[in-house]
Amino acid sequence: MAFKTRITEMFGIETPIVMGGMTGVGYGELVAAVANAGALGFITAHMYPTGQALFDEIEATRKRTDKPFGVNLTLLPSINPIPYDDYREAIIASGIKIVETAGRAPTDHLPRFKEEGVRVIHKCTSVRHSVSAVRKGVDVISIDGFECAGHPGEDDVGLVVLLPATVDALPDTPIIASGGMADGRSLVAALALGADAVNMGTRFCATVEAKIHPNVKQRIVEANETDTVLVGRTLRNTARVAKNAVSIEVAEIQRDPTKTFDDVKHLMAGVRGRENVLRDGDVDGGIWTSGQSQALIHDIPTCADLVATIMRQAESARARLAACGR
């Protein structure tokens, strides 16, 4: 039996599985593989220098799949200006109808997206921010629990509480569960808590099609739930990253509340993680994100095999629950 939800119906996808945008990972080749597997993937816009470069990647992705996919816009302060307006217009010109936003609310982009019939998913880390985003006009909330890779917010609420609390606050809004999701059990648990889909980031990093070094994929497979580190806590910009020599050093430095970002800037440089780690395979060469869900990841399949396995696991879990009521 299929798992039909408001998300599968809204976006015309076969399974309630989403791969959100990921810096250094969300290229079109992986997104197309995710789409062809029946899930929903997002190209990460800010990895491209211009709107035209993003448009070209969207077109190249369309040659690999005829199924729905979207684009992620992560709206954060940056030392160097990011061409968000150009990205937005490239998305619209390309005909993409699904956008995932993160960071600040996409208030200034919503009018154009609404005008062009683009549905917007916004990632949040709290109930209050989710409610605010819906009031501003976003269509879907992707709620990030404390287990997630990247930025889990500052409230430290796990998904098993945060998800149903968000569902209760926004009963008319489709909700995607993010953080700690990695298999069919995760999917069924999230659906039971009121979600309409799950978002898996770390799980899709450990796939054949992900354009990151095999050393990184293998480290994810070998890691457990304690092999992540929280950095940026004293700066109120918390990030969950893989435990390695660099992240441990950053966390140690930041135990001193008088230290500023300048004291760790050289260690946390994004280019260092993307080049040394994701590209070259030195897993101690920089900061890179990974979620606690890595404890549930034991192989490196193709996206097609992964999605098929997740859905078989979900069907088995659903059958087990049904048997409990007999």
Side-chain angles (χ1 to χ4, degrees):
M1 293 175 63
F3 285 72
K4 291 187 177 180
T5 71
R6 289 182 291 183
I7 290 294
T8 62
E9 297 293 307
M10 178 180 289
F11 297 127
I13 55 177
E14 298 166 32
T15 70
I17 300 171
V18 176
M19 183 198 77
M22 293 183 283
T23 300
V25 182
Y27 294 101
E29 184 175 343
L30 175 59
V31 170
V34 169
N36 287 331
L40 178 63
F42 289 85
I43 296 170
T44 304
H46 67 258
M47 298 193 304
Y48 300 90
T50 63
Q52 183 62 51
L54 173 61
F55 182 91
D56 292 343
E57 183 73 352
I58 293 169
E59 291 301 296
T61 305
R62 281 218 172 93
K63 293 178 180 177
R64 296 186 172 105
T65 185
D66 59 359
K67 296 185 178 180
F69 64 91
V71 174
N72 166 277
L73 288 178
T74 298
L75 305 167
L76 296 172
S78 175
I79 296 173
N80 299 313
I82 298 175
Y84 287 121
D85 290 350
D86 292 345
Y87 290 155
R88 182 192 65 233
E89 295 308 313
I91 291 166
I92 291 170
S94 73
I96 287 287
K97 296 299 181 184
I98 314 168
V99 167
E100 176 193 62
T101 58
R104 65 174 175 82
T107 312
D108 47 339
H109 299 286
L110 284 173
R112 282 286 290 139
F113 283 143
K114 293 289 185 182
E115 184 181 294
E116 297 296 334
V118 177
R119 297 285 182 88
V120 176
I121 302 167
H122 188 58
K123 293 188 76 174
C124 295
T125 59
S126 69
V127 176
R128 63 187 182 279
H129 291 151
S130 300
V131 170
S132 176
V134 170
R135 286 175 178 163
K136 291 173 180 175
V138 306
D139 301 287
V140 177
I141 292 296
S142 181
I143 190 70
D144 251 345
F146 188 52
E147 305 90 336
C148 73
H151 295 279
E154 307 303 320
D155 295 337
D156 300 0
V157 181
L159 192 65
V160 73
V161 170
L162 185 58
L163 171 57
T166 306
V167 170
D168 288 348
L170 296 168
D172 298 323
T173 302
I175 306 294
I176 298 171
S178 183
M181 302 288 101
D183 58 24
R185 297 170 299 177
S186 306
L187 172 56
V188 171
L191 295 177
L193 291 171
D196 296 280
V198 294
N199 174 50
M200 298 182 180
T202 304
R203 173 65 272 197
F204 278 106
C205 288
T207 57
V208 170
E209 293 91 345
K211 292 174 62 176
I212 59 179
H213 199 281
N215 291 356
V216 179
K217 299 178 188 182
Q218 189 60 36
R219 175 61 71 89
I220 292 170
V221 169
E222 294 169 354
N224 63 38
E225 68 278 8
T226 65
D227 289 328
T228 67
V229 175
L230 296 173
V231 297
R233 302 238 77 180
T234 55
L235 305 176
R236 293 196 60 78
N237 188 28
T238 300
R240 184 180 299 282
V241 300
K243 181 183 287 186
N244 67 4
V246 178
S247 62
I248 291 171
E249 183 178 355
V250 170
E252 286 297 323
I253 292 171
Q254 292 184 326
R255 288 182 186 277
D256 180 351
T258 67
K259 298 296 184 181
T260 69
F261 180 68
D262 286 339
D263 294 300
V264 295
K265 183 177 179 180
H266 62 294
L267 296 170
M268 296 187 69
V271 66
R272 179 173 176 171
R274 289 191 298 275
E275 294 182 358
N276 294 356
V277 182
L278 300 184
R279 185 190 68 189
D280 297 338
D282 178 3
V283 294
D284 284 310
I287 293 283
W288 55 286
T289 61
S290 193
Q292 291 180 328
S293 63
Q294 62 189 9
L296 307 175
I297 298 170
H298 309 297
D299 59 0
I300 306 170
T302 65
C303 289
D305 285 344
L306 173 60
V307 171
T309 298
I310 290 169
M311 297 312 296
R312 283 196 300 271
Q313 292 170 337
E315 189 56 60
S316 177
R318 181 161 63 177
R320 186 168 64 251
L321 290 174
C324 292
R326 294 173 187 162

